[in-house]
Amino acid sequence: MSTPMVITAAMVGAETTREQTPHLPITAEEIAEDAARCREAGAAMVHLHVRTPDGKPSQDAELFRAAIRAIRKRTDVLIQTSTGGAVGMTVDQRCGPLTLTGEDRPDMATLTTGTVNFGEEVFWNPRPLVRDIARRIRAIGLRPELECFDVGMIDEARYLAKEGLVDLPAHFDFVLGVPGTLQPRPEVLDFMIASLPEGSTWTVAGVGRHQLAYVDEAAKRGGNARVGLEDNIYVSKGVLAKGNWELVAEAAKRARAHGREPATPEQARKLLRLS
Amino acid sequence: MSTPMVITAAMVGAETTREQTPHLPITAEEIAEDAARCREAGAAMVHLHVRTPDGKPSQDAELFRAAIRAIRKRTDVLIQTSTGGAVGMTVDQRCGPLTLTGEDRPDMATLTTGTVNFGEEVFWNPRPLVRDIARRIRAIGLRPELECFDVGMIDEARYLAKEGLVDLPAHFDFVLGVPGTLQPRPEVLDFMIASLPEGSTWTVAGVGRHQLAYVDEAAKRGGNARVGLEDNIYVSKGVLAKGNWELVAEAAKRARAHGREPATPEQARKLLRLS
């Protein structure tokens, strides 16, 4: 039997607006309801950003606490908090969710290992900041998902491991298709996989129109996939997804078409070596 | 007969100091003398930065004018001016050499197409700035060398071409081995070459200990190479190069060992389609 596929729902993000889609969840309750439906549809994990009540991106610990509690009241889906936040945030702002410990602690946190253009702006991750976030993730006992927007960011994971800041093998997320940086091609995905440290696991997050196509590419190659309104709002050309759950359902359908069952949270915990 | 190999001497840079090597040229006369020896040793082009008299990196137009005039008095080597400058410079500062027209105009200018970590700092090239520099290069009738520190920067060249800001095919420079970004492996070079727009030409600049090894890799693959004190100060392990010319001589020797003659400036002009 083939390895189950971990589907992660990137539910909220920092860029998508209610003007673009009325289906973007914003409050803790909206996020929790959509998360529960994502879990039913086949998601093992949610990638979590939060918003202020008026929809602005935030990394505020109390907003994360509320969302995490609301999600956990409804479902056992794993919760991965972003440390990317939004362009322009300080490191302390970005690390809000890493102050949550005990029963509010997330299950995983992201760590972006380099700086890239992000549309017209710059997603600012200089080395000192990356090391700082890596230390904070480690300090609360979490394992990072290493977000790579280009090939060199995989090399940087090796460097961080040499510095003792991350453990290898690790779990990687290839974010492909952000305007201004690496664009998806099947050969790009193959090359990134071939460039990974031995024994590592990976997820691919295709942005925009590439999202669902790269669920297929990931499924074929034994990898995992991220879908959701953070990266793409359409379930098919011009048709808005009615919630994150609908993108997850479509991803699960595609995974099964390639002989892959969506992983449960417990399977994902084992596959991604989460404690 | 195989295609001649264009050897570019990155003579000065913005990072190398006289403390690291006493052989770094700083004044216009020092640069011109080393450039003439580089030409004799096999360089077809110099990649030019300038310094203030006390050795600080500068993009000052008058310093460029003095260096360009001094070089041209001594030799016919092609002159490619940097628009990267040093970390922290504004776009107007970086574009100093692009204000030189008429007989002081350089033969080529670099254009870096994305933002990356650069050691502990960030080499800041957001999209609006890249477009701005591309327009200025075009306005004085030059062809850019597209500096790519990672694979996604090749994709960005395609985007700039769609916007009408650069022409394809183009000439690319793969800068491999800057700490914090893409590290050189032969497979990385193969993948970058395979990712180029049809008909493009390329140079590889290996940083530090990778510099001379990647002359061999470039020679084997029919490409071109950049060497010089900007990227590497050693001609062999622990032995300082006595000038840029010594690194060029070593590169020329390696090119010939692979059956490639160093290109003359006139051959390079044709190979890189310079006007």
Side-chain angles (χ1 to χ4, degrees):
Chain A
M1 221 189 74
S2 59
T3 316
M5 184 179 192
V6 180
I7 299 175
T8 299
M11 302 181 65
V12 183
E15 307 268 336
T16 308
T17 65
R18 274 277 170 89
E19 284 67 47
Q20 295 171 303
T21 174
H23 306 297
L24 181 77
I26 286 179
T27 67
E29 276 314 310
E30 289 165 352
I31 291 170
E33 187 183 333
D34 197 347
R37 295 187 72 172
C38 285
R39 166 73 173 101
E40 281 165 37
M45 183 150 69
V46 295
H47 169 74
L48 193 63
H49 288 243
V50 291
R51 302 291 180 105
T52 58
D54 60 350
K56 289 216 182 77
S58 170
Q59 290 286 106
D60 178 75
E62 292 315 312
L63 290 171
F64 270 104
R65 192 193 306 277
I68 289 171
R69 287 185 178 179
I71 293 168
R72 287 187 174 151
K73 225 183 265 176
R74 301 282 297 264
T75 173
D76 65 347
V77 75
L78 298 176
I79 300 174
Q80 174 197 77
T81 49
S82 167
T83 63
V87 167
M89 288 179 177
T90 67
V91 60
D92 283 333
Q93 284 170 336
R94 287 170 57 167
C95 291
L98 302 182
T99 63
L100 300 176
T101 54
E103 63 180 14
D104 295 328
R105 195 187 69 156
D107 299 289
M108 198 177 200
T110 58
L111 177 66
T112 306
T113 61
T115 301
V116 277
N117 286 348
F118 196 102
E120 298 300 292
E121 306 194 82
V122 171
F123 185 25
W124 177 257
N125 297 294
R127 277 183 149 179
L129 182 146
V130 173
R131 291 190 201 104
D132 185 350
I133 298 177
R135 279 189 204 100
R136 297 185 199 211
I137 291 172
R138 175 157 284 209
I140 62 166
L142 292 185
R143 196 155 185 263
E145 173 170 279
L146 300 169
E147 280 196 343
C148 297
F149 289 71
D150 212 332
V151 179
M153 292 197 196
I154 300 173
D155 293 322
E156 194 63 357
R158 288 192 172 83
Y159 166 81
L160 291 165
K162 264 190 207 162
E163 299 261 299
L165 296 170
V166 307
D167 296 321
L168 296 184
H171 179 66
F172 290 79
D173 183 30
F174 307 139
V175 185
L176 301 178
V178 171
T181 180
L182 187 60
Q183 299 303 300
R185 285 181 289 137
E187 304 90 304
V188 164
L189 183 54
D190 287 333
F191 189 67
M192 292 184 90
I193 296 166
S195 300
L196 289 176
E198 181 83 27
S200 294
T201 54
W202 57 274
T203 289
V204 61
V207 172
R209 67 191 168 84
H210 305 290
Q211 181 168 90
L212 293 168
Y214 277 77
V215 175
D216 290 306
E217 300 297 338
K220 281 188 235 173
R221 289 167 175 79
N224 309 290
R226 169 173 133 174
V227 295
L229 298 174
E230 171 167 350
D231 302 328
N232 162 49
I233 60 175
Y234 299 106
V235 70
S236 59
K237 194 168 176 170
V239 181
L240 290 177
K242 289 190 286 292
N244 286 286
W245 57 271
E246 197 180 7
L247 292 164
V248 171
E250 178 62 26
K253 198 176 84 182
R254 289 174 186 237
R256 289 190 178 106
H258 294 282
R260 308 276 308 277
E261 272 304 305
T264 64
E266 272 318 296
Q267 287 173 324
R269 195 180 281 284
K270 207 168 157 185
L271 287 165
L272 308 187
R273 303 186 188 86
L274 306 184
S275 55
Chain B
M1 222 188 73
S2 59
T3 316
M5 184 178 190
V6 180
I7 300 175
T8 300
M11 302 182 64
V12 183
E15 307 269 335
T16 308
T17 65
R18 273 279 170 88
E19 285 65 48
Q20 295 171 303
T21 174
H23 306 296
L24 181 76
I26 287 180
T27 67
E29 276 313 310
E30 288 165 352
I31 291 171
E33 187 182 333
D34 196 347
R37 295 188 72 174
C38 284
R39 165 74 173 101
E40 281 164 39
M45 183 150 67
V46 295
H47 169 75
L48 194 63
H49 288 244
V50 291
R51 302 291 180 105
T52 58
D54 60 350
K56 290 214 181 79
S58 170
Q59 290 287 106
D60 179 73
E62 293 315 312
L63 290 171
F64 269 104
R65 193 193 305 276
I68 289 171
R69 288 185 177 180
I71 294 169
R72 287 187 174 153
K73 224 183 266 177
R74 299 283 297 265
T75 173
D76 64 347
V77 76
L78 299 176
I79 300 174
Q80 175 197 78
T81 49
S82 167
T83 63
V87 167
M89 287 179 178
T90 66
V91 62
D92 282 333
Q93 285 171 334
R94 286 170 58 168
C95 291
L98 301 182
T99 63
L100 300 175
T101 53
E103 62 181 12
D104 295 328
R105 195 186 70 157
D107 298 289
M108 198 176 201
T110 58
L111 176 66
T112 306
T113 61
T115 302
V116 277
N117 285 348
F118 196 103
E120 299 301 291
E121 306 196 80
V122 170
F123 184 24
W124 176 258
N125 296 295
R127 275 183 150 180
L129 182 147
V130 173
R131 290 191 203 105
D132 185 349
I133 298 177
R135 278 189 206 102
R136 297 185 199 212
I137 291 172
R138 175 156 284 209
I140 61 165
L142 293 185
R143 198 156 184 261
E145 173 170 278
L146 301 168
E147 281 196 342
C148 297
F149 289 71
D150 212 332
V151 180
M153 291 197 197
I154 300 173
D155 293 322
E156 194 63 355
R158 288 193 173 83
Y159 166 81
L160 290 166
K162 263 190 209 162
E163 299 261 298
L165 296 170
V166 307
D167 295 319
L168 296 184
H171 179 67
F172 290 80
D173 183 30
F174 307 139
V175 186
L176 301 178
V178 170
T181 179
L182 188 61
Q183 299 303 300
R185 286 181 288 136
E187 303 91 304
V188 163
L189 183 55
D190 287 334
F191 188 66
M192 292 184 90
I193 297 167
S195 300
L196 288 177
E198 181 83 25
S200 295
T201 54
W202 56 275
T203 289
V204 61
V207 172
R209 65 190 169 82
H210 305 290
Q211 181 168 91
L212 292 169
Y214 276 77
V215 175
D216 290 306
E217 299 297 338
K220 281 188 237 173
R221 290 166 174 80
N224 309 290
R226 169 173 132 175
V227 295
L229 298 173
E230 171 166 350
D231 302 328
N232 162 49
I233 61 176
Y234 299 106
V235 70
S236 60
K237 194 169 177 169
V239 181
L240 289 177
K242 290 189 284 294
N244 286 285
W245 58 271
E246 197 179 8
L247 293 164
V248 172
E250 179 61 27
K253 198 176 85 184
R254 290 175 185 237
R256 289 191 177 104
H258 295 282
R260 308 276 309 276
E261 272 304 305
T264 63
E266 271 318 296
Q267 287 173 323
R269 194 179 282 283
K270 205 169 158 183
L271 287 165
L272 309 185
R273 303 183 187 89
L274 306 184
S275 55

